[in-house]
Amino acid sequence: MTKIDHTLDTPFSIRLARRVRDFSEAAATALARQQAIRSIIDTVGVTLAGVLEPCTRILMTTPGLAGAPGGSVVFGTDQRRSALDAALINGTASHALDYDDFSGILGGHQSVPLLPALFAVEPYATLFQMTSTVNARVKPELGFADLLRAVFPC
């Protein structure tokens, strides 16, 4: 089992990074893995169906909104957008028809809010790269080295 650092002196982002770093697939139960797979399949399914819904179509066709070019896939279409815009569109499509993604095992409604951002896939010559976009405000007194330590605490 992963030891969790609950001290308030350690920033949440560092505690989370350590937990991700220390994760052991062997520690996940078969039931948790099965539920995670089911949630991912459910999210992909409702996203593909939700692309046809009015809320998603409006988002995709409104000039100046979610239209930044890029290589990330908009599920169910031949369109590519920036990672951030693809996550927004795919997330909207996911939410359009998702009613049953509640899991007591995994602690709630987790896949639709998380997966579109994680699945902002960009194709490259030899691979498909999952990308994530993280935004933050930085305290003015922090320097570049401080930022690197915060992003890569391990």
Side-chain angles (χ1 to χ4, degrees), residues 52-125:
L52 303 175
E53 292 298 305
C55 59
T56 310
R57 302 315 267 166
I58 290 168
L59 182 60
M60 291 171 55
T61 59
T62 301
L65 186 63
S72 294
V73 174
V74 176
F75 283 14
T77 75
D78 61 353
Q79 296 184 31
R80 307 270 184 202
R81 303 283 174 95
S82 70
L84 187 60
D85 286 350
L88 175 63
I89 294 167
N90 291 334
T92 300
S94 297
H95 278 289
L97 296 173
D98 188 45
Y99 305 111
D100 63 351
D101 187 33
F102 184 84
S103 165
I105 295 168
L106 296 178
H109 178 91
Q110 62 286 329
S111 62
V112 166
L114 295 174
L115 290 177
L118 296 175
F119 283 164
V121 176
E122 293 200 36
Y124 291 91

Side-chain angles (χ1 to χ4, degrees), residues 30-43 103 105-106 110-111 115:
L31 185 57
R33 284 192 296 274
Q34 180 183 19
Q35 185 61 40
I37 291 167
R38 184 177 299 136
S39 293
I40 291 168
I41 291 169
D42 176 71
T43 299
S103 165
I105 295 168
L106 296 178
Q110 62 286 329
S111 62
L115 290 177

